[in-house]
């Protein structure tokens, strides 16, 4: 047994001090994080780096995060600096807190806004969404974009919840094979798995509430108009709203306080601003909030939709509410509930289908400034080159010319032109002005016949052969 000395006693004391000062980020609330900042146990940079590490570790399986903001660490550095100099507002609320946004809430930065679809990949938005402007003003760190059900589950009635072409299939952290629900699936998954502190989602019908329910997080679906939809890809101006998905009610309220308010780009926010209480929502985070409240209990038909354990838990929670002083009005009925719950019979499906086209066109119209810029680039670039030199086609190696052709809507053809020393093929591109396909085809065919480069694969790779053999079995 080692001898006890003043030296190792001092070491023990040091280790105990280090342990007492250690701070666990997992499951930490916003208040916990702010206290850790204040006590110099944590910085926003360390916090962001922790979440990036967790995304790298967990996201390949969970697929809750679509992309991490390349400027997240820069924003964290700025937050830490503001805290050091004691800038106004730098020690409260969302300042220095990373937040993940559903991939239909626009950010005027290096990230995409695509609703999970490749159709909008690379599109340039004119400005931050209204809620993002407010988040930045509050000092929040825009950590990244959350995966989601493509086009907010409006692309197809049979599209799996949590699936998008860009993000793949999102997985519920508690049970990987269970439905994560949607369409704000990634926002819920990421918060539940501690890949980010807090998140934002949107809802037309169930897209905040359902994934919150499915992933054991808190979701707030605000009154329509309370939070701005400007810069958000929406389905319905009547129904769409933006709200937080967080691990606690307190965290969700912190986020809600930051994002509510009037936005000149969303007329509904002016009318709804009358609902915002003086002093914000945090004042209502009181432990005795149930006492004296009259709560209506509607059992039919909702209890018939749940499992026996969930039904029993519901009964237990009703008893708890009674014990906390609530007045329960049990067995109430909602008139025409069966019709209301029927997406087609209620008329909701018809209305949303009509409104989605209007809403999407309105969002796309906001991209006009970017489109004007692309038109100018095309006019002064490719078109000028072709016309000044009276060219029939532009010839380039590989397919790297594709953006040049794409932004102007010009045709192009790529033809095999060789192989590298590993047998990997490459081609040549012929591009021209609009309507010049006859010339391009003529040129491409002539090139092909003159060179006859292409050859079939030989499947020399052992890996490919193994796959082929496996497929034969």
């Amino acid at each position: 047994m080692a001898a006890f000395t003043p030296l190792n006693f001092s070491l023990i004391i040091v280790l105990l001090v280090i342990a007492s000062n250690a701070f666990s980020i997992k499951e930490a609330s916003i208040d916990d994080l702010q206290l850790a900042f204040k006590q110099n146990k944590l910085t926003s940079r360390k916090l962001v780096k922790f979440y990036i590490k967790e995304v790298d570790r967990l996201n390949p399986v969970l697929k809750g995060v679509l992309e991490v903001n390349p400027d997240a660490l820069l924003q964290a550095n700025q937050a830490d600096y503001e805290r050091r100099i004691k800038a106004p507002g730098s020690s409260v609320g969302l300042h220095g807190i990373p937040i993940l946004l559903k991939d239909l809430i626009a950010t005027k930065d290096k990230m995409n806004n695509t609703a999970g679809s490749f159709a909008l990949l690379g599109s340039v938005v004119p400005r931050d969404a209204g809620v993002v402007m407010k988040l930045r003003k509050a000092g929040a760190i825009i950590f990244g974009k959350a995966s989601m059900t493509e086009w907010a589950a409006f692309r197809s009635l049979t599209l799996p919840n949590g699936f998008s072409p860009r993000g793949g299939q999102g997985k519920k952290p508690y049970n990987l094979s269970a439905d994560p629900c949607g369409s704000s699936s990634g926002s819920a998954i990421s918060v539940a798995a501690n890949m980010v502190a807090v998140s934002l989602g949107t809802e037309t019908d169930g897209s905040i509430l359902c994934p919150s329910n499915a992933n054991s997080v808190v979701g707030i679906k605000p009154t329509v108009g309370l939070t701005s939809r400007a810069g958000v890809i929406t389905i319905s101006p009547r129904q769409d709203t933006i709200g937080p998905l967080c691990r606690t009610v307190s965290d969700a309220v912190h986020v809600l306080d930051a994002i509510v308010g009037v936005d000149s780009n969303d007329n509904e926010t002016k009318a709804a601003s009358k609902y915002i209480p003086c002093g914000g929502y945090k004042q209502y985070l009181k432990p005795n909030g149930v006492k004296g409240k009259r709560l209506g209990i509607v059992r039919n038909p909702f209890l018939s939709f749940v499992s026996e354990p969930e039904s029993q838990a519901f009964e237990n929670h009703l008893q708890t509410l009674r014990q906390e002083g609530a007045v329960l009005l049990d067995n109430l009925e909602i008139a025409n509930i069966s019709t209301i719950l029927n997406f087609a019979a209620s008329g909701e499906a018809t209305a949303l289908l009509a409104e989605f086209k209007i809403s999407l066109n309105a969002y796309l119209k906001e991209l006009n400034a970017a489109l004007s810029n692309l038109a100018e680039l095309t006019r002064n670039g490719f078109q000028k080159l072709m016309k000044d030199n009276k060219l029939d086609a532009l010839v380039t190696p590989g397919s790297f010319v594709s953006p040049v052709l794409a932004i102007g809507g010009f045709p192009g053809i790529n033809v095999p032109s060789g192989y590298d020393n590993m047998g990997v093929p490459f081609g040549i591109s012929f591009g021209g002005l609009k309507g010049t396909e006859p010339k391009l085809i003529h040129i491409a065919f002539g090139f092909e016949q003159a060179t006859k480069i292409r050859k079939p694969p030989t499947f020399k790779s052992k890996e490919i052969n193994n796959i082929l053999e496996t497929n034969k079995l």
Side-chain angles (χ1 to χ4, degrees):
M1 183 175 179
F4 186 79
T5 68
L7 180 62
N8 55 29
F9 177 75
S10 298
L11 180 61
I12 291 172
I13 295 297
V14 170
L15 292 174
L16 288 174
V17 170
I18 292 173
S20 67
N21 287 330
F23 176 76
S24 176
I25 294 174
K26 285 187 177 181
E27 293 296 304
S29 68
I30 290 175
D31 289 337
D32 293 334
L33 295 172
Q34 289 294 356
L35 181 60
F37 292 152
K38 185 176 181 180
Q39 296 176 340
N40 294 318
K41 293 181 179 179
L42 183 68
T43 64
S44 291
R45 182 177 180 83
K46 289 181 180 178
L47 184 59
V48 168
K49 290 181 74 172
F50 171 85
Y51 287 134
I52 290 175
K53 184 177 179 181
E54 290 302 283
V55 170
D56 289 341
R57 186 173 70 90
L58 300 173
N59 203 57
V61 174
L62 298 179
K63 299 186 185 302
V65 178
L66 200 54
E67 58 183 296
V68 172
N69 189 351
D71 291 332
L73 285 172
L74 291 176
Q75 292 181 34
N77 291 342
Q78 179 64 25
D80 290 335
Y81 169 73
E82 291 173 357
R83 200 177 299 114
R84 284 196 301 271
I85 65 172
K86 294 180 170 53
S90 62
S91 61
V92 295
L94 295 185
H95 189 277
I97 303 296
I99 185 167
L100 191 68
L101 310 178
K102 186 176 180 180
D103 182 43
L104 43 62
I105 301 173
T107 53
K108 184 67 174 176
D109 53 21
K110 297 173 184 176
M111 293 192 292
N112 290 286
N113 194 50
T114 69
S117 172
F118 284 115
L120 290 180
L121 190 64
S123 61
V124 181
V125 300
R127 66 187 75 86
D128 279 337
V131 290
V132 175
M133 292 181 188
K134 293 182 183 297
L135 288 170
R136 293 195 196 276
K137 184 177 180 180
I141 296 168
I142 309 302
F143 180 70
K145 291 296 186 75
S147 64
M148 58 176 286
T149 314
E150 186 185 18
W151 289 111
F154 221 65
R155 176 181 179 274
S156 165
L157 294 177
T158 59
L159 191 69
N161 283 325
F163 174 81
S164 73
R166 283 195 66 208
Q169 179 61 59
K171 301 291 185 67
K172 181 189 292 191
Y174 295 91
N175 186 323
L176 296 178
S177 63
D179 184 356
C181 207
S183 62
S184 304
S185 51
S187 300
I189 290 168
S190 302
V191 166
N194 283 275
M195 292 193 287
V196 73
V198 292
S199 68
L200 272 193
T202 69
E203 175 156 331
T204 304
D205 186 340
S207 291
I208 290 176
L209 301 181
C210 188
S212 297
N213 178 73
N215 293 278
S216 194
V217 297
V218 175
I220 297 180
K221 175 191 175 296
T223 297
V224 173
L226 200 64
T227 53
S228 172
R229 288 82 49 85
V232 178
I233 301 171
T234 59
I235 291 173
S236 166
R238 293 180 304 104
Q239 295 184 206
D240 279 46
T241 187
I242 290 80
L245 294 92
C246 306
R247 288 185 292 271
T248 68
V249 174
S250 176
D251 283 356
V253 168
H254 273 296
V255 176
L256 186 65
D257 268 331
I259 63 174
V260 298
V262 175
D263 180 357
S264 60
N265 292 314
D266 183 350
N267 292 332
E268 292 295 324
T269 59
K270 185 176 181 180
S273 65
K274 64 185 178 184
Y275 299 119
I276 303 173
C278 181
Y281 296 94
K282 289 190 289 293
Q283 61 187 302
Y284 300 102
L285 293 171
K286 298 178 180 179
N288 62 345
V290 170
K291 188 175 182 179
K293 300 296 190 299
R294 291 168 57 86
L295 308 179
I297 313 303
V298 179
R299 296 174 179 269
N300 178 42
F302 304 112
L303 277 179
S304 66
F305 301 153
V306 305
S307 65
E308 178 58 31
E310 189 172 349
S311 178
Q312 185 56 54
F314 181 72
E315 295 296 341
N316 294 339
H317 296 326
L318 292 183
Q319 183 58 30
T320 300
L321 291 171
R322 291 188 185 97
Q323 292 172 351
E324 291 297 311
V327 179
L328 270 55
L329 286 73
D330 208 348
N331 294 304
L332 301 183
E333 296 277 347
I334 299 175
N336 302 310
I337 186 62
S338 60
T339 301
I340 293 170
L341 297 179
N342 188 311
F343 190 56
S346 68
E348 185 179 10
T350 301
L352 292 183
L353 284 169
E355 289 171 331
F356 181 50
K357 181 177 181 180
I358 296 170
S359 297
L360 182 57
N361 284 340
Y363 174 82
L364 294 176
K365 186 177 181 180
E366 281 284 278
L367 301 180
N368 276 347
L371 295 178
S372 177
N373 185 51
L374 292 175
E376 183 178 352
L377 291 173
T378 296
R379 185 169 55 250
N380 296 331
F382 183 65
Q383 283 182 313
K384 188 175 189 298
L385 175 71
M386 293 292 290
K387 291 178 178 179
D388 286 356
N389 293 278
K390 300 180 180 179
L391 301 177
D392 292 310
L394 190 69
V395 184
T396 55
S399 60
F400 304 109
V401 74
S402 62
V404 176
L405 303 178
I407 64 174
F410 302 118
I413 300 177
N414 187 276
V415 182
S417 64
Y419 303 86
D420 68 13
N421 55 10
M422 296 295 292
V424 178
F426 48 83
I428 187 169
S429 293
F430 305 96
L433 297 173
K434 291 180 180 180
T436 60
E437 283 86 348
K439 287 184 179 180
L440 295 181
I441 292 169
H442 199 180
I443 294 167
F445 183 75
F447 171 82
E448 179 202 47
Q449 293 302 304
T451 58
K452 296 187 178 179
I453 293 292
R454 188 195 175 275
K455 56 187 178 182
T458 56
F459 301 109
K460 291 182 179 179
S461 167
K462 184 177 179 180
E463 181 180 354
I464 292 176
N465 283 330
N466 288 339
I467 294 172
L468 291 175
E469 289 299 320
T470 301
N471 290 339
K472 288 179 182 179
L473 298 177

